[in-house]
Amino acid sequence: MLKSTATLFVAVCLATPAFAGSVVKVVEGGEGGGPMTLTLDHSTIKSGEVTFMVHNDAVTEDHEMVLVKLKSAEQSVPVIAAKHRIDEKQLKSLGEVSDLKPGKDGQLTATLDPGAYLLLCNIKGHYEAGMHAKLTVTK
């Protein structure tokens, strides 16, 4: 009887996540001169602690993931045309995974309140090439 109880305990431990909260998987892709992508496995999640598991699926291109809180889902994002980058000073950044080399993984954990968020790559030209995705956080 003791052996089966221990086996059950191990099985329950292995099936339970090691951390609380939500997990959003983020895959970044694209090479210079072509379309860039930033995709989320969930576009809507519940508020609370969220861990973003980020993977750079590119072959040769570095990427990053910046998490910003928007004032509304319709908020426009300021692009500095001469630099081909977002003006992060005008946005509320909640953190980032920076300098993610091709094929590598990174993670960011943040506590999110209900509202609209934007995930983006702010390496020169990447946002303009399509590397951004919106996230809705509900109660």
Side-chain angles (χ1 to χ4, degrees), residues 26-82:
V26 180
V27 177
E28 299 177 311
E31 306 297 330
M36 302 271 179
T37 59
L38 191 152
T39 56
L40 312 176
D41 70 339
H42 296 89
S43 60
T44 302
I45 59 170
K46 292 192 181 285
S47 62
E49 186 176 274
V50 179
T51 299
F52 295 92
M53 305 297 289
V54 186
H55 175 71
N56 181 353
D57 202 36
V59 176
T60 62
E61 196 78 36
D62 287 7
H63 291 302
E64 68 177 5
M65 185 210 73
V66 181
L67 172 65
V68 297
K69 174 108 166 71
L70 299 174
K71 293 176 184 168
S72 72
E74 296 79 31
Q75 179 181 342
S76 63
V77 178
V79 177
I80 304 170

